[in-house]
Amino acid sequence: MNSRHRRTLAAVFADPVSGSIAWSDIESLLISVGARTIEGSGSRVKFEKDGEVESFHRPHPSKEAKRYQVRAARVFLERIGIKP
């Protein structure tokens, strides 16, 4: 995990939940901690690590993740044992 991933991790766990985190940064963070990407149809994407699976829809047309997506990423990271 590099310094950019650490900043993204801190932003994901920050309160109040940010609505200005780029979705690509969250995807990069999840991949850096060992999650496997499973592409679905359209904008659907799943991440899997150690039997834990979380499903997302990539935001469009904007590049920022919605607050509920940031919360879901936080819960997924906690389930796989990743905290700032």
Side-chain angles (χ1 to χ4, degrees):
M1 185 182 311
N2 63 29
S3 61
R4 183 177 181 143
H5 296 139
R6 287 192 220 319
R7 282 194 305 272
T8 303
L9 182 64
V12 167
F13 279 86
D15 279 322
V17 176
S18 176
S20 63
I21 304 171
W23 174 252
S24 60
D25 290 345
I26 293 176
E27 276 196 59
S28 178
L29 169 65
L30 293 174
I31 291 167
S32 77
V33 298
R36 182 173 62 105
T37 305
I38 304 166
E39 296 288 337
S41 61
S43 63
R44 190 177 306 257
V45 64
K46 290 181 184 179
F47 293 94
E48 184 273 331
K49 180 167 178 5
D50 301 332
E52 295 289 336
V53 178
E54 188 65 42
S55 179
F56 296 95
H57 281 269
R58 289 185 175 108
H60 53 82
S62 66
K63 65 177 187 157
E64 288 82 21
K66 308 288 188 226
R67 285 182 171 87
Y68 72 88
Q69 293 170 316
V70 175
R71 283 188 208 99
R74 180 189 302 184
V75 168
F76 178 65
L77 287 164
E78 288 175 338
R79 285 197 329 251
I80 61 173
I82 308 295
K83 293 185 180 179

